[in-house]
Amino acid sequence: MADDAEKTSREDAAFMTSAMLKAYSHPLRRQILRLMARRGFLRAADIAGELDVPANSASFHLRVLAEAGLIEEAPEQARDRRDRVWTGRKGALTVGGPESPVADQALGDAVVAALAEDHVDLLRRVVAWTPEYVSGRTAEVHASFVQRTIRLTEAEFDDVMHKINDVLSAADTAHDDTDPAGRHWQLDIVVADDTI
């Protein structure tokens, strides 16, 4: 049974299509996706208000994200037939790799640069908060900065990354969305071996 569950969670991960890469490369669309991940369901008006953009711009970007397969409609959340509510695509996405090379190298490079930019922003926020915690001025945990070096084969490393994704997916599924203590955590995992 565990093997079936592991196989299913690994099948949930997919390589990004060119349309996904193009949609994801736009900074406002990445903001929309992060906001949607935190809120679960959004309307164009929600995005316009939260991100301070015109409603027609929010609608345009939602259409691009939907056409790319990064979001989908959630009619069960709509108030009526005219109400369009959106939710994010489930499962992990990978930019590309040997099994599915990126067709447009410049586009792939742009998405990787965007991911790095988002990661640097996360690191800035963690570094700005950390002195509050390490000095004892706050006991609330808002971030974590962990560094660890381990020796693994490439196959072992791949297995570890799949297991991490499985654990995160299971925690997300098990979480009670009505719990008022719940917070959204952005998790960036950056790893490199000693050859680069």
Side-chain angles (χ1 to χ4, degrees):
M1 186 68 114
D3 291 337
D4 290 341
E6 183 175 317
K7 183 179 177 186
T8 301
S9 67
R10 289 183 187 186
E11 288 171 357
D12 287 344
F15 287 99
M16 294 179 85
T17 64
S18 292
M20 287 176 172
L21 291 168
K22 186 174 180 182
Y24 194 81
S25 68
H26 194 283
L28 179 57
R29 292 183 201 132
R30 290 195 314 278
Q31 282 184 295
I32 290 169
L33 290 170
R34 283 192 297 272
L35 182 61
M36 197 167 288
R38 289 193 305 270
R39 298 274 182 85
F41 304 96
L42 290 172
R43 295 166 178 81
D46 301 328
I47 293 164
E50 183 78 22
L51 300 180
D52 196 27
V53 297
N56 63 346
S57 176
S59 293
F60 168 77
H61 290 293
L62 283 169
R63 279 193 306 277
V64 171
L65 290 167
E67 288 169 5
L70 290 169
I71 65 172
E72 56 192 36
E73 278 199 74
E76 69 280 2
Q77 299 294 323
R79 293 181 284 240
D80 57 45
R81 288 184 181 189
R82 293 179 303 171
D83 189 25
R84 295 188 82 182
V85 183
W86 302 91
T87 189
R89 176 196 181 282
K90 303 297 182 218
L93 290 170
T94 301
V95 173
E99 311 87 44
S100 183
V102 174
D104 182 340
Q105 184 65 46
L107 182 57
D109 292 349
V111 169
V112 170
L115 290 168
E117 183 180 307
D118 292 347
H119 179 72
V120 167
D121 178 61
L122 174 65
L123 283 176
R124 279 191 196 112
R125 289 186 283 133
V126 170
V127 168
W129 167 81
T130 300
E132 295 297 310
Y133 187 76
V134 299
S135 67
R137 288 190 294 268
T138 184
E140 292 182 20
V141 176
H142 294 283
S144 178
F145 190 70
V146 179
Q147 190 174 64
R148 181 167 180 186
T149 303
I150 58 175
R151 182 175 173 84
L152 300 170
T153 66
E154 188 173 336
E156 290 167 334
F157 171 75
D158 186 52
D159 187 53
V160 166
M161 294 308 293
H162 283 294
K163 287 178 180 173
I164 289 170
N165 189 51
D166 293 346
V167 167
L168 294 173
S169 294
D172 186 37
T173 301
H175 172 69
D176 176 5
D177 286 337
T178 63
D179 186 341
R183 292 183 273 165
H184 290 93
W185 298 83
Q186 179 178 338
L187 176 66
D188 285 11
I189 299 173
V190 178
V191 296
D193 69 12
D194 56 359
T195 64
I196 61 170

